[in-house]
Amino acid sequence: MGICAASFSFVANAQNINIKTGWQFRETKTEKWFPATVPGEVHTDLLNNKTIPDPFYRDNEKKLVWIEKKDWEYKTTFQVSPTLLKKKNAELVFDGLDTYATVYLNNKEVLKADNMFRQWRVDVKKLLKSGNNDLVVVFKSAQNVVDSLAKKDLPFVIPDNPRAYVRKAQYHFGWDWGPKFTTCGIWKTPRLEVYDEKAPEKPYVLDRKIELVQQPDNLGKTFFFKIDGKPVYMKGANYIPSDAFLSRVTKKEYEKVIGMAKDANMNMLRVWGGGIYEDDYFYDLCDKNGIYIWQDFMFAGTMVPGDDAFFDNVKKEVQYQVKRLRHHKSIVLWCGNNEADEAFKNWGWQKSMNMSKQDSTRLWKDYVRLFQDSIPKWVKEVDDKRPYISSSPRFHWSRPESLTEGDSHYWGTWWGLEDVEAVQNKTGRFVSEYGMQAMPNYSSMERITLPEDRYLYSDILEAHQKAGKGFMKLDSYLNRYFINEAKLKKMSVEDYTYLTQCLQYYSLKNIIGIHRSKAPYNMGTLVWQLNDCWPVASWSVTDYYDRQPKAAWYAMKEAYRDDKTPEIDLTRPINLKLEDPKITWEIKGNKVVLKASELAKYVNVSIKGYTGKWSDNYFDLKPGEEKTITFEGKIIKPEIKVYSLFEVLNKY
């Protein structure tokens, strides 16, 4: 067993020992122990020990389902000196146990945890000894636990998934852009805190006035943010966890992701309710970069259990997280959940689940009690300086009120297969979700596939497209805006990838332009979504690998500028008569100078092996116009590739 190298920090004579080293793990009731990394999770530990293949490669996801059905055990030994033992108090502190965990210290059970979002603290003064102390954490399969809880409740059913029973990142159970890796592990560093007296709590000060203005007017009801008395138009995106495996989200990854938001001229991110309350460093970066945060509590698209134990668990979670995060000036809103209210009223659960009137009433009562009565009260006790709303959005996108009051998730485009132009008459007061899908960058496709997988709608491509009828919807838009169906079916995956990214560019450029043109009726536009948690066809404007921009990121960067009115150009590319633009280019240091003899649409420049961002990309070149774009850093003998819409369409 490894012995912990203690790291000390002194606060009012307190000493913290981080318990990070010497960890080992095994499947329970098996013989062999393997080295483990803390913080981490079982999937990354198995991967590091080369006992499983890369979960993101090809269709490995479905080959690794067995992991979530097992129980796993972690152990280490840490040292305590006689001096530390003399302190009056000793507490074992876990900031992140995912999720159903039993903790043993020196063979005595000290803690049973059941919430990945809570801090767990236990007095261990009487159990500590001088020298080596043995620590064991046993994790039960969250999937098995929620399945048994759901079964026990029958015939009562909580829509839409047994995940509703557990306080764990909901996206771990799979999403329409994410894999299903229902993992477990010690996802934040545990520590031993020894002290004579507790340090007093820092007083809570917020030096900014935050208001959410929801006033009836002659058109409905406003929905906008006032910061220090000034109305602010919010331009941004929705943020999901940046990895399916949270321990991989390093400070460097956070810097890249927030950098992508900042460089695209965003001033708001919505931390979506199916993920996690992010690391402090995430909020530090937002504080520093002037990015406001709309913070959901971690509930998404399900109803909730109504028992006292569940409510008590959520209360402790809410108050712990609000106290942890409230000093961040970036946070401007607490929101109860994502889409649960409108889902209950519009997603047809009652019918599809043959719900009795009685069960339906009970579910709604529990919902109201948690999100409209309890959480706002619990929040107010620890933060009375910020607004709270119970759910986002208030109304489903098919309801006329979604355009006149509250925030709206406008999914008529994409889910409703409406034309992009429809947004001209369907812009809400604050559009907190909308989007258009695109393939991930082709370099990502190459990383996760074999050459024989690279044809349209292959099983492997389908494994990285989680949206219902995803390719059918993409193709429906491509047929209308770019290429006819017969030609589309013949496309290579590389060209198809390019075209889907042009579609996402066209859609977001125009939708953002339309939203912003409706100010002050509309006071916010948040694209779904900024980032991905693995390589996948999704609505994200950046790629999972290296957080590389997709085409639409360049469109947003331009459309979110404050120094000019965003351009709206609804000419469908399919209706353009394009000629060969005969693009020429020359490289000067880290600059590329381009020229075209005819109009060139969606000019894409790439350098082999370069994963950074360009000053511009997927731009139009007018005949005879000279355009200079730059890349970051130095590249010896760059291998450059330049093409435009004409070249791609002309092949077919």
Side-chain angles (χ1 to χ4, degrees):
M1 289 300 290
I3 287 170
C4 169
S7 74
F8 297 107
S9 66
F10 297 87
V11 186
N13 81 6
Q15 288 177 330
N16 292 350
I17 301 178
N18 283 341
I19 307 171
K20 259 184 108 149
T21 57
W23 285 94
Q24 293 182 299
F25 82 112
R26 67 176 179 185
E27 185 191 323
T28 55
K29 301 187 177 69
T30 61
E31 291 303 304
K32 193 173 178 195
W33 291 88
F34 295 91
T37 306
V38 168
E41 50 271 292
V42 70
H43 288 75
T44 48
D45 283 331
L46 289 163
L47 188 61
N48 294 340
N49 282 285
K50 299 187 169 51
T51 52
I52 59 167
D54 177 358
F56 294 171
Y57 185 63
R58 300 191 77 222
D59 57 354
N60 285 344
E61 176 196 359
K62 64 171 186 260
K63 297 172 186 164
L64 299 177
V65 174
W66 63 271
I67 300 169
E68 71 187 38
K69 305 282 195 194
K70 305 284 188 190
D71 298 340
W72 299 90
E73 184 174 356
Y74 283 72
K75 70 173 182 183
T76 191
T77 300
F78 63 95
Q79 280 210 313
V80 178
S81 69
T83 326
L84 287 184
L85 272 186
K86 289 192 181 112
K87 296 276 180 205
K88 287 181 193 155
N89 302 287
E91 291 179 329
L92 203 48
V93 185
F94 293 92
D95 289 328
L97 289 172
D98 176 11
T99 292
Y100 292 107
T102 309
V103 180
Y104 301 88
L105 178 63
N106 296 330
N107 299 320
K108 288 271 196 307
E109 183 184 311
V110 292
L111 174 66
K112 259 188 150 51
D114 61 354
N115 186 331
M116 130 179 214
F117 307 124
R118 273 175 66 182
Q119 182 187 73
W120 299 90
R121 188 177 267 284
V122 59
D123 177 2
V124 292
K125 173 73 181 152
K126 293 194 173 87
L127 291 176
L128 284 181
K129 52 187 196 197
S130 186
N132 283 354
N133 288 261
D134 296 328
L135 185 59
V136 175
V137 186
V138 182
F139 291 97
K140 272 169 102 166
S141 151
Q143 190 61 60
N144 293 349
V145 174
V146 299
D147 287 345
S148 68
L149 288 170
K151 214 164 162 184
K152 211 168 76 186
D153 252 1
L154 288 172
F156 180 67
V157 174
I158 298 179
D160 71 332
N161 189 300
R163 66 184 167 81
Y165 288 91
V166 61
R167 298 311 300 140
K168 173 174 174 59
Q170 300 285 281
Y171 84 111
H172 283 168
F173 294 87
W175 220 265
D176 58 5
W177 37 255
K180 185 179 190 309
F181 293 121
T182 310
T183 189
C184 70
I186 304 167
W187 72 289
K188 295 192 174 186
T189 308
R191 65 188 177 276
L192 181 72
E193 287 186 7
V194 287
Y195 57 93
D196 286 327
E197 273 167 60
K198 262 234 155 83
E201 218 174 79
K202 278 199 210 108
Y204 162 48
V205 186
L206 185 69
D207 57 359
R208 134 187 293 176
K209 190 178 183 207
I210 301 158
E211 297 164 87
L212 174 62
V213 184
Q214 299 188 80
Q215 292 293 340
D217 61 11
N218 59 354
L219 299 162
K221 202 176 183 186
T222 64
F223 189 105
F224 68 91
F225 289 90
K226 248 188 187 174
I227 311 291
D228 290 331
K230 286 196 186 98
V232 178
Y233 188 97
M234 297 300 181
K235 320 165 285 169
N238 286 262
Y239 178 90
I240 65 165
S242 283
D243 209 294
F245 306 119
L246 291 164
S247 66
R248 290 183 178 174
V249 190
T250 58
K251 285 189 164 179
K252 203 172 163 191
E253 284 303 310
Y254 277 125
E255 285 160 13
K256 277 188 205 165
V257 179
I258 300 303
M260 292 306 289
K262 175 77 176 158
D263 292 348
N265 299 309
M266 297 184 191
N267 66 0
M268 178 174 262
L269 290 175
R270 172 175 175 249
V271 177
W272 168 76
I276 59 165
Y277 306 93
E278 285 296 330
D279 188 88
D280 262 301
Y281 192 62
F282 170 91
Y283 301 95
D284 289 340
L285 289 169
C286 294
D287 292 346
K288 196 169 86 185
N289 286 297
I291 292 172
Y292 299 114
I293 294 293
W294 166 317
Q295 178 68 52
D296 281 3
F297 288 105
M298 291 304 129
F299 297 90
T302 60
M303 299 309 276
V304 290
D307 58 282
D308 291 347
F310 185 85
F311 270 61
D312 183 55
N313 201 353
V314 173
K315 179 181 182 175
K316 291 191 168 76
E317 165 193 324
V318 164
Q319 295 200 322
Y320 163 67
Q321 292 293 353
V322 172
K323 277 177 101 162
R324 177 175 78 89
L325 298 174
R326 65 189 178 185
H327 67 279
H328 288 285
K329 65 176 188 202
S330 50
I331 298 175
V332 295
L333 180 70
W334 303 113
C335 172
N337 68 68
N338 171 71
E339 295 187 346
D341 186 320
E342 62 116 344
F344 189 75
K345 294 168 184 166
N346 298 281
W347 290 7
W349 282 336
Q350 291 81 347
K351 199 174 162 189
S352 66
M353 295 181 170
N354 294 324
M355 217 180 272
S356 69
K357 184 89 175 72
Q358 192 187 356
D359 285 357
S360 179
T361 306
R362 173 178 151 191
L363 278 168
W364 182 245
K365 272 190 169 151
D366 290 339
Y367 172 89
V368 169
R369 188 161 63 93
L370 185 61
F371 295 107
Q372 293 174 16
D373 304 339
S374 306
I375 293 181
K377 196 173 85 219
W378 299 335
V379 170
K380 222 179 174 73
E381 286 169 13
V382 284
D383 179 15
D384 59 358
K385 296 177 170 67
R386 283 183 181 86
Y388 169 86
I389 59 172
S390 61
S391 185
S392 172
R394 272 207 61 201
F395 301 102
H396 187 264
W397 59 264
S398 60
R399 303 263 300 274
E401 305 96 313
S402 75
L403 301 174
T404 58
E405 56 181 283
D407 69 312
S408 70
H409 292 189
Y410 192 71
W411 285 110
T413 41
W414 183 260
W415 288 110
L417 288 175
E418 287 177 3
D419 289 346
V420 171
E421 296 88 334
V423 176
Q424 293 172 105
N425 304 314
K426 294 190 172 174
T427 293
R429 309 308 294 256
F430 191 109
V431 192
S432 46
E433 272 194 28
Y434 63 93
M436 179 59 70
Q437 245 204 18
M439 294 286 280
N441 290 337
Y442 190 64
S443 56
S444 292
M445 296 308 302
E446 289 180 310
R447 269 179 87 158
I448 60 167
T449 59
L450 288 169
E452 62 261 34
D453 305 328
R454 293 174 205 147
Y455 62 90
L456 286 186
Y457 326 120
S458 71
D459 288 351
I460 301 300
L461 256 62
E462 289 282 1
H464 292 263
Q465 164 64 281
K466 296 292 189 178
K469 299 187 177 153
F471 285 127
M472 182 279 281
K473 290 193 171 90
L474 260 179
D475 292 357
S476 164
Y477 281 103
L478 288 173
N479 292 164
R480 279 178 266 170
Y481 287 87
F482 283 90
I483 191 169
N484 75 47
E485 201 163 353
K487 289 179 176 178
L488 175 66
K489 300 281 182 248
K490 296 178 191 156
M491 292 191 92
S492 71
V493 172
E494 186 169 10
D495 290 341
Y496 182 84
T497 294
Y498 167 79
L499 221 50
T500 65
Q501 292 213 8
C502 292
L503 166 70
Q504 194 185 28
Y505 183 111
Y506 173 92
S507 306
L508 296 191
K509 168 190 166 154
N510 285 307
I511 294 173
I512 292 167
I514 293 164
H515 285 172
R516 293 193 69 188
S517 74
K518 308 275 188 191
Y521 179 82
N522 165 273
M523 282 299 282
T525 176
L526 305 179
V527 167
W528 183 271
Q529 66 214 64
L530 174 65
N531 57 324
D532 269 328
C533 68
W534 77 314
V536 66
S538 82
W539 302 266
S540 176
V541 295
T542 61
D543 206 74
Y544 169 74
Y545 291 115
D546 298 304
R547 312 293 159 196
Q548 248 191 306
K550 283 160 69 168
W553 182 85
Y554 294 97
M556 289 175 83
K557 182 184 175 189
E558 190 61 21
Y560 279 162
R561 281 171 61 173
D562 275 333
D563 58 341
K564 56 179 281 210
T565 306
E567 219 178 89
I568 301 166
D569 178 6
L570 291 163
T571 312
R572 298 191 178 194
I574 198 167
N575 297 329
L576 293 168
K577 302 276 180 280
L578 294 172
E579 303 286 331
D580 183 354
K582 299 188 174 64
I583 299 169
T584 58
W585 72 88
E586 152 180 37
I587 300 175
K588 299 175 176 173
N590 71 334
K591 291 188 171 76
V592 182
V593 185
L594 301 111
K595 254 186 179 164
S597 60
E598 301 285 342
L599 171 68
K601 294 290 289 178
Y602 300 110
V603 177
N604 174 237
V605 185
S606 61
I607 291 175
K608 197 178 175 175
Y610 174 61
T611 58
K613 50 186 181 291
W614 293 80
S615 59
D616 198 0
N617 217 341
Y618 295 87
F619 47 83
D620 294 350
L621 263 182
K622 293 190 182 83
E625 175 193 15
E626 193 172 272
K627 179 157 177 107
T628 302
I629 62 168
T630 58
F631 55 87
E632 299 163 337
K634 275 193 170 57
I635 297 170
I636 312 293
K637 292 192 182 156
E639 273 183 64
I640 200 160
K641 190 170 162 186
V642 178
Y643 56 89
S644 69
L645 192 59
F646 173 84
E647 281 89 351
V648 172
L649 296 181
N650 206 41
K651 285 185 199 174
Y652 304 97

